[in-house]
């Protein structure tokens, strides 16, 4: 793999691009169906896509090689992801994608706070300014004025 494909920045930007597509496609997809059913369909698709990627990349590993602590946090993360998706799809069903997605991205602000408070990460004054600007931007985009 080339250097660019190993850089976390590449993958983070790719994630942002796919998340943007997700918002638009999901907004179109929740029309006429219950938001929970839409989340279920999305989850099944993700299961098959991830299984295909693991088959091609060789990413599978023996389940016994994973510690109980890792499983605990992965299960909790999965539950949080499911709750997030259910809320997101319901919000998309009720609101404009251009307003729902920015509020959803307040997760960036929360991750910064949780990272500092729970993981002991450190952010500089410039980093905190960026976090504040993200929060302000998300609220301004979502504001119906």
């Amino acid at each position: 793999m080339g250097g660019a494909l190993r850089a976390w920045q590449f993958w983070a930007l790719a994630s942002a691009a796919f998340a943007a597509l997700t918002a638009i496609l999901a907004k179109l997809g929740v029309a006429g169906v219950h938001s929970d059913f839409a989340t279920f369909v999305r989850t099944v698709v993700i299961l098959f896509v991830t299984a295909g990627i693991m088959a091609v990349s060789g990413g599978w590993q023996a389940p016994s090689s994973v510690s109980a602590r890792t499983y605990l946090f992965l299960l909790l993360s999965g539950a949080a992801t499911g709750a997030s998706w259910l809320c997101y799809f319901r919000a998309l069903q009720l609101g404009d994608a251009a307003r729902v997605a920015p509020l959803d991205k307040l997760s960036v602000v929360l991750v910064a706070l949780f990272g500092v408070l729970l993981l002991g990460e450190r952010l500089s004054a410039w980093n905190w300014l960026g976090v504040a600007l993200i929060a302000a931007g998300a609220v301004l985009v979502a504001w119906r004025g």
Side-chain angles (χ1 to χ4, degrees):
M1 238 189 239
L5 292 179
R6 284 185 280 194
W8 65 266
Q9 294 94 335
F10 170 83
W11 294 105
L13 290 171
S15 174
F18 284 119
L21 281 174
T22 297
I24 300 304
L25 296 171
K27 176 65 178 177
L28 296 169
V30 295
V33 299
H34 194 283
S35 59
D36 293 346
F37 181 75
T39 302
F40 172 76
V41 171
R42 175 182 170 176
T43 302
V44 170
V45 170
I46 290 169
L47 176 68
F48 283 106
V49 168
T50 304
I53 291 170
M54 286 176 35
V56 170
S57 71
W60 179 261
Q61 68 184 75
S64 61
S65 70
V66 179
S67 72
R69 180 181 188 277
T70 297
Y71 274 122
L72 171 66
F73 283 108
L74 289 175
L75 290 171
L76 292 172
S77 173
T81 298
S84 171
W85 289 354
L86 289 168
C87 294
Y88 185 69
F89 269 60
R90 183 68 177 143
L92 280 175
Q93 200 167 48
L94 298 172
D96 298 334
R99 290 195 170 99
V100 169
L103 286 183
D104 176 66
K105 295 309 173 210
L106 283 174
S107 62
V108 173
V109 174
L110 295 174
V111 167
L113 293 171
F114 295 163
V116 168
L117 296 173
L118 302 175
L119 301 177
E121 297 177 353
R122 296 177 184 259
L123 297 177
S124 70
W126 283 110
N127 298 143
W128 283 115
L129 176 61
V131 169
L133 289 171
I134 290 168
V139 170
L140 288 173
V141 173
W143 188 283
R144 188 173 213 108

